[in-house]
Amino acid sequence: MQTIDHYAVFGYPIGHSKSPRIHRLFAQQTGQDLEYAAVAVPADTFSASVSAFLAGGGKGLNCTIPLKELAWQRAEQLTERARLAKAVNTLALQTDGTLLGDNTDGFGLANDLTRNHQVKISGTRILVLGAGGATRGILSALFGLAPDSVLLINRTVEKADNLAQEFCHLGPIRSGGYADLHNLSGFDLIINATASSLSNELPPLPDHVLRDGGVCYDLAYGNQPTAFVRWGQTHGAAKSVDGLGMLVEQAAEAFRLWRGLSPDTAAVINLLNRERNLHASES
Ligand code: ATR
């Protein structure tokens, strides 16, 4: 019989996940007794692994690449933001025994941008690169901050067009391919939601596309600045940051859903940043 509540992150691969560390820090900080594990779960065993986890007394799960769409299918109820994203990063066992699916990624990005980095979104022109699952997860939260407009650019233009059509009821959104950027300039915020950083690549951006003093935000993060963060640093960005803060903020929202408590995210972000700087100076 388990006495401590169990949580986990499922993904494949999962070895480098920072989620166990973050949730243990939240638990320490808020005095919660819980366990949080990282479990490698391939897509074809996802549903069975969720069932086994719940049968063993598990209370909640985070799901990451490549499982967010499967988690969306597996959830018995969805929050509005998960319904819009068609992707779930947080599953919570409710008191009636049903499984609630939420998507806290967009909330995490919005909080990191506006609270931690003090970026004002209202009235701004935003360029979003990529039209995959990561973009799906953030669009409704971005529109919640009332930007002037969002332009969605993707290598495969059809995917950007389809996504723009799907989300156009939420706010002003247009779509196109990278060639369209050559006639455009002055974006206040560029968000890299492509998978390019994972292979240390850079989407093909023309030099003038960011407003001088604008902001670059990479949803990816790593021990070194990503290629996109470096691009921002050399193309006039006042701030060019990666998604470590978003990672902590989305985790905090999952923790709140499970435990009813909001941890102090700034303390955890500062700690992870200090560790990262130490790691960078040693390597
Ligand atoms: P995720 O769930 O992380 O969004 P995904 O659904 O596979 O992953 O989407 C990856 C996104 O990154 C896509 O928009 C992809 O562009 P295509 O749809 O044209 O494939 C984009 N992407 C991946 N590598 C890229 C690169 N080197 N440059 C630009 N875009 C890239």
Side-chain angles (χ1 to χ4, degrees), residues 212-230:
D212 201 28
V215 175
C216 285
Y217 195 104
D218 199 334
L219 300 193
Y221 61 88
N223 282 331
Q224 305 294 333
T226 65
F228 176 72
V229 167
R230 292 198 306 275

Side-chain angles (χ1 to χ4, degrees), residues 27-47:
Q28 252 172 36
Q29 206 189 67
T30 54
Q32 299 284 294
D33 213 6
L34 59 85
E35 282 188 10
Y36 189 108
V39 188
V41 175
D44 57 353
T45 64
F46 175 72
S47 198

Side-chain angles (χ1 to χ4, degrees), residues 65 130-135 154-156 159 178 193-196 199 201-204:
I65 292 168
T135 300
N154 198 42
R155 269 187 328 203
T156 314
K159 277 168 70 180
Y178 285 94
T194 74
S196 63
S199 46
E201 288 170 18
L202 182 68

Side-chain angles (χ1 to χ4, degrees), residues 16 18 197-198 200 218-230 241-245 247 272-273 275-277 279-280 283:
H16 294 291
K18 290 189 192 294
S197 299
L198 305 179
N200 205 22
D218 199 334
L219 300 193
Y221 61 88
N223 282 331
Q224 305 294 333
T226 65
F228 176 72
V229 167
R230 292 198 306 275
V241 294
D242 73 8
L244 184 71
L247 177 77
L272 295 181
N273 265 325
E275 287 176 359
R276 178 156 73 165
N277 292 340
H279 185 270
S283 59

Side-chain angles (χ1 to χ4, degrees), residues 27-282:
Q28 252 172 36
Q29 206 189 67
T30 54
Q32 299 284 294
D33 213 6
L34 59 85
E35 282 188 10
Y36 189 108
V39 188
V41 175
D44 57 353
T45 64
F46 175 72
S47 198
S49 301
V50 172
S51 301
F53 181 76
L54 295 175
K59 293 283 192 276
L61 285 170
N62 286 132
C63 300
T64 187
I65 292 168
L67 307 172
K68 290 184 187 184
E69 202 182 322
L70 290 173
W72 173 74
Q73 288 166 4
R74 182 67 159 73
E76 291 152 301
Q77 291 176 54
L78 293 168
T79 61
E80 177 64 5
R81 56 196 181 187
R83 191 183 65 76
L84 287 167
K86 293 189 174 145
V88 156
N89 75 337
T90 305
L91 289 165
L93 185 66
Q94 303 187 97
T95 44
D96 65 0
T98 59
L99 203 53
L100 174 71
D102 194 4
N103 189 315
T104 66
D105 287 331
F107 175 92
L109 171 67
N111 252 8
D112 193 40
L113 275 169
T114 59
R115 283 194 358 201
N116 302 335
H117 295 294
Q118 313 269 298
V119 176
K120 181 179 150 288
I121 303 293
S122 156
T124 59
R125 290 172 61 219
I126 304 179
L127 171 60
V128 175
L129 309 173
T135 300
R136 287 193 154 279
I138 62 169
L139 282 177
S140 65
L142 279 182
F143 280 122
L145 299 171
D148 170 73
S149 59
V150 172
L151 175 62
L152 212 56
I153 293 291
N154 198 42
R155 269 187 328 203
T156 314
V157 180
E158 197 191 353
K159 277 168 70 180
D161 291 346
N162 290 342
L163 217 52
Q165 202 163 29
E166 198 179 322
F167 282 85
C168 67
H169 65 289
L170 294 180
I173 185 165
R174 288 173 302 128
S175 54
Y178 285 94
D180 298 316
L181 289 178
H182 289 278
N183 306 318
L184 298 170
S185 61
F187 285 95
D188 300 295
L189 168 64
I190 306 179
I191 296 173
N192 182 21
T194 74
S196 63
S197 299
L198 305 179
S199 46
N200 205 22
E201 288 170 18
L202 182 68
L205 289 170
D207 283 344
H208 52 266
V209 74
L210 180 72
R211 166 176 74 75
D212 201 28
V215 175
C216 285
Y217 195 104
D218 199 334
L219 300 193
Y221 61 88
N223 282 331
Q224 305 294 333
T226 65
F228 176 72
V229 167
R230 292 198 306 275
W231 182 89
Q233 288 165 346
T234 54
H235 288 78
K239 281 181 191 186
S240 191
V241 294
D242 73 8
L244 184 71
M246 172 179 168
L247 177 77
V248 175
E249 295 291 348
Q250 64 77 30
E253 183 68 350
F255 191 89
R256 193 185 63 77
L257 185 71
W258 294 331
R259 311 297 297 184
L261 292 165
S262 296
D264 173 8
T265 51
V268 174
I269 293 170
N270 288 340
L271 178 67
L272 295 181
N273 265 325
R274 277 201 305 278
E275 287 176 359
R276 178 156 73 165
N277 292 340
L278 202 65
H279 185 270
S281 68
E282 281 168 356

